[in-house]
Amino acid sequence: MNLTGSDQIVSKLQALLSYDASSPLIFSSGLFLFLLAAFLLLYSRLRYAPTARIFYVILFSLYFYYKSSGLYFLLLILAATSDYWIARGIHRVQNRAGRRWLVALSVAVNLGMLGYFKYTNFFVEAANNLFGEGFLQFQNIFLPVGISFFVFQSLSYTIDIYRGQLQPLRNWPDYLFYLSFFPQLVAGPIVRARDFIPQIRRNPLVVTREMFGTGVALILIGLVKKAIISDYISLNFVDRVFDEPLLYSGFECLMGIYGYALQIYCDFSGYSDMAIGIALLLGFRFPKNFDAPYKAATITEFWRRWHISLSTWLRDYLYIPLGGNRKGRIRTYGNLLVTMLLGGLWHGAAVRFILWGGLHGAALALHKLWMRLVPGAKATGREMHWWVRIPGILLTFHIVCLGWLMFRADTMQTVELMLRQIFDHFDARIIPQVIEGYTGVFLLIALGYLLHMLPASADRLARQTVARAPLALQVVLAAAVIWCVMQVKSSDIQPFIYFQF
């Protein structure tokens, strides 16, 4: 059936305004880049109108979240309303016990939401397995995109006010702006209120040439990481190996794990780069979320470089309140283990996530013990001689890869099968044949790791070169990157991995 011009316009508007669960709006999609360009046109006219700017960004942010999670954008509004009023209550109440009850209420509301949407399916399934199918009748509960991120972000606000480190906002729209700000809404970084709130009502809004250029550079780098490297090696190699490990040799299984380590880094850090870059275009500065984590020479250093906003959140709001390292050695090791177990559980209610967190918690505790027992042992590679740092990087990387194997595998049986293939059926004779069959994949994996291991000065130089380039050259670079994305991209849009958390 042929549609008239007006019918086609109506159809496109309906698609633009409706939620499609099979195609959530993500940063690397052409639709988002088009919407962002249109959004920026009006945004740039609101430099001297902070109130209008705030409402404009809120509306776009809620629309963005609606296109990612449907009507669950109402949950975001509920969380913002709840913690806004609780925070004001904490500030007004002088009684210590009253303040404690209010911050406990905030924790209960936020973790209650997180627990219901994230863990109900797990407990229902476990109960049915234990007591028989049909013991509990629940429909499968949809996990709203990014709920783990905005819950942690909102909790940091009320806890900081309880600690006296922050004054509560006087306007509810300002808090909704903070919690719903679309660049970091669905997959972080987890931005602290004390870092973000002072930037909200600046008048005039200032986006310097350096901020604009760096923002463009970060967006392009993020697109390359996500849409070229991560998506390509995932669709053409990694997913196949993890889906049917018995069909592949031990070498292919090992390369599948190495590939996933690069895939999840490029996917998640690519999103973070784009989020930080978009925020810069809007006049906001976010802290760095990744710092070349596979250069880490110890597991402690890895967690100072990987998902920095989450690791510092866990440190400040979980590890230190548990006692940190102030209660003796045994308690310190226990606190590390508990923190990382809960960090694993934050990713999802599954044995594999708990084991992943347990592995990292045990590794962190053992490293602390190692530094205590071995004279001259260091916390980071920067403090080591090169002949110690290089073995440390290799050891740390393989500990992390073992964790990624558990993190990615659908079941623990897959973990067992892949390890058995690696140790019992490696078959080095077929390596040249495998490399020839997956030439493009292995070239991208090698390129990805090579770029990752370059000195930090090379990374800074690349960003500065793009940031300082004339606008016309930046446009050409953007067109070239988008063209490359279109050449390698599957017709199926790949959601960001951390959308599921």
Side-chain angles (χ1 to χ4, degrees):
M1 187 174 96
N2 294 325
L3 298 175
T4 64
S6 59
D7 289 337
Q8 288 179 343
I9 292 173
V10 170
S11 176
K12 288 179 180 179
L13 280 175
Q14 286 177 338
L16 198 62
L17 296 175
S18 61
Y19 166 63
D20 181 0
S22 64
S23 182
L25 186 62
I26 62 175
F27 283 175
S28 57
S29 67
L31 174 60
F32 174 78
L33 295 174
F34 168 78
L35 290 172
L36 178 64
F39 168 82
L40 289 172
L41 285 176
L42 178 56
Y43 184 83
S44 62
R45 301 288 189 271
L46 301 175
R47 291 179 56 212
Y48 295 94
T51 300
R53 188 170 67 238
I54 285 168
F55 279 98
Y56 178 59
V57 174
I58 288 172
L59 288 173
F60 186 83
S61 296
L62 293 177
Y63 166 75
F64 173 77
Y65 194 58
Y66 168 73
K67 290 289 286 182
S68 300
S69 285
L71 290 176
Y72 286 100
F73 79 91
L74 297 172
L75 196 66
L76 179 65
I77 296 175
L78 173 65
T81 305
S82 171
D83 277 338
Y84 170 76
W85 288 110
I86 289 174
R88 289 180 66 83
I90 292 171
H91 183 68
R92 283 198 304 266
V93 171
Q94 300 301 314
N95 180 276
R96 184 176 178 85
R99 290 163 57 83
R100 283 183 173 178
W101 276 110
L102 284 169
V103 79
L105 177 62
S106 173
V107 171
V109 169
N110 282 289
L111 295 188
M113 281 194 305
L114 187 63
Y116 173 77
F117 287 102
K118 201 156 192 172
Y119 306 112
T120 300
N121 290 332
F122 173 79
F123 288 118
V124 168
E125 183 181 353
N128 287 336
N129 289 337
L130 187 62
F131 299 107
E133 195 64 36
F135 175 74
L136 291 177
Q137 296 289 342
F138 274 93
Q139 291 185 338
N140 189 48
I141 295 171
F142 175 78
L143 178 64
V145 170
I147 186 171
S148 299
F149 292 94
F150 71 72
V151 160
F152 271 24
Q153 192 159 301
S154 198
L155 270 176
S156 72
Y157 173 73
T158 53
I159 293 172
D160 282 354
I161 289 171
Y162 170 76
R163 292 174 175 176
Q165 298 172 346
L166 189 67
Q167 294 292 312
L169 286 165
R170 297 182 178 181
N171 299 300
W172 176 74
D174 287 12
Y175 188 69
L176 181 59
F177 181 99
Y178 158 66
L179 202 61
S180 67
F181 191 56
F182 73 91
Q184 42 71 236
L185 173 59
V186 294
I190 302 169
V191 182
R192 306 286 182 89
R194 58 177 175 261
D195 296 326
F196 185 86
I197 286 173
Q199 304 182 65
I200 292 177
R201 285 194 171 269
R202 284 178 306 172
N203 189 18
L205 176 77
V206 176
V207 180
T208 65
R209 180 71 179 86
E210 176 269 333
M211 291 175 70
F212 182 85
T214 303
V216 170
L218 287 169
I219 292 169
L220 296 181
I221 290 169
L223 269 175
V224 170
K225 285 181 178 178
K226 162 61 181 169
I228 296 180
I229 298 176
S230 178
D231 284 0
Y232 187 84
I233 64 178
S234 168
L235 289 166
N236 294 285
F237 185 66
V238 173
D239 289 351
R240 300 177 189 179
V241 174
F242 274 91
D243 288 345
E244 296 289 345
L246 289 180
L247 298 181
Y248 296 89
S249 68
F251 171 73
E252 289 166 297
C253 287
L254 181 62
M255 293 307 296
I257 297 170
Y258 289 164
Y260 181 69
L262 182 66
Q263 177 200 340
I264 193 170
Y265 166 74
C266 286
D267 189 286
F268 195 16
S269 72
Y271 181 94
S272 290
D273 287 342
M274 295 184 73
I276 295 168
I278 293 168
L280 283 171
L281 296 185
L282 303 182
F284 291 81
R285 293 187 184 272
F286 287 174
K288 180 186 288 188
N289 205 27
F290 288 87
D291 185 15
Y294 298 141
K295 290 181 183 179
T298 67
I299 197 69
T300 299
E301 184 181 5
F302 174 80
W303 278 104
R304 293 178 184 178
R305 290 171 173 266
W306 176 272
H307 200 349
I308 299 168
S309 64
L310 175 63
S311 60
T312 54
W313 196 100
L314 292 173
R315 179 197 67 199
D316 294 344
Y317 299 102
L318 186 55
Y319 175 69
I320 291 176
L322 285 172
N325 58 3
R326 306 185 306 276
K327 304 291 185 178
R329 294 196 303 276
I330 301 301
R331 181 74 174 272
T332 297
Y333 305 149
N335 290 340
L336 285 168
L337 187 59
V338 169
T339 298
M340 294 311 298
L341 281 170
L342 291 174
L345 196 60
W346 175 84
H347 285 85
V351 172
R352 57 197 177 99
F353 293 129
I354 296 171
L355 289 176
W356 174 81
L359 171 69
H360 279 276
L364 287 166
L366 287 171
H367 183 239
K368 271 205 176 295
L369 179 62
W370 174 264
M371 288 195 295
R372 178 175 180 81
L373 297 178
V374 178
K378 306 297 183 183
T380 66
R382 189 177 293 108
E383 305 167 274
M384 301 175 185
H385 295 294
W386 69 267
W387 62 83
V388 179
R389 182 170 67 251
I390 292 174
I393 290 172
L394 291 173
L395 175 62
T396 302
F397 176 71
H398 284 89
I399 292 172
V400 170
C401 282
L402 177 60
W404 288 142
L405 170 59
M406 292 185 283
F407 193 94
R408 169 61 178 82
D410 292 330
T411 65
M412 292 310 297
Q413 183 184 20
T414 302
V415 174
E416 180 187 353
L417 291 174
M418 290 189 71
L419 290 175
R420 189 182 301 166
Q421 289 295 96
I422 291 169
F423 288 106
D424 295 343
H425 305 285
F426 192 80
D427 198 1
R429 294 170 300 176
I430 68 169
I431 291 177
Q433 180 183 343
V434 172
I435 293 175
E436 183 179 354
Y438 290 101
T439 302
V441 169
F442 285 112
L443 282 175
L444 266 183
I445 291 175
L447 177 63
Y449 278 117
L450 176 64
L451 293 174
H452 183 80
M453 300 307 290
L454 287 174
S457 57
D459 179 63
R460 284 195 301 271
L461 178 62
R463 294 186 185 197
Q464 289 171 0
T465 300
V466 176
R468 295 170 180 171
L471 181 60
L473 182 55
Q474 290 175 345
V475 171
V476 171
L477 284 172
V481 168
I482 292 170
W483 182 85
C484 290
V485 168
M486 293 301 105
Q487 299 309 303
V488 302
K489 199 170 182 61
S490 164
S491 58
D492 298 322
I493 293 177
Q494 298 299 301
F496 288 91
I497 291 173
Y498 266 68
F499 272 25
Q500 63 186 292
F501 307 126

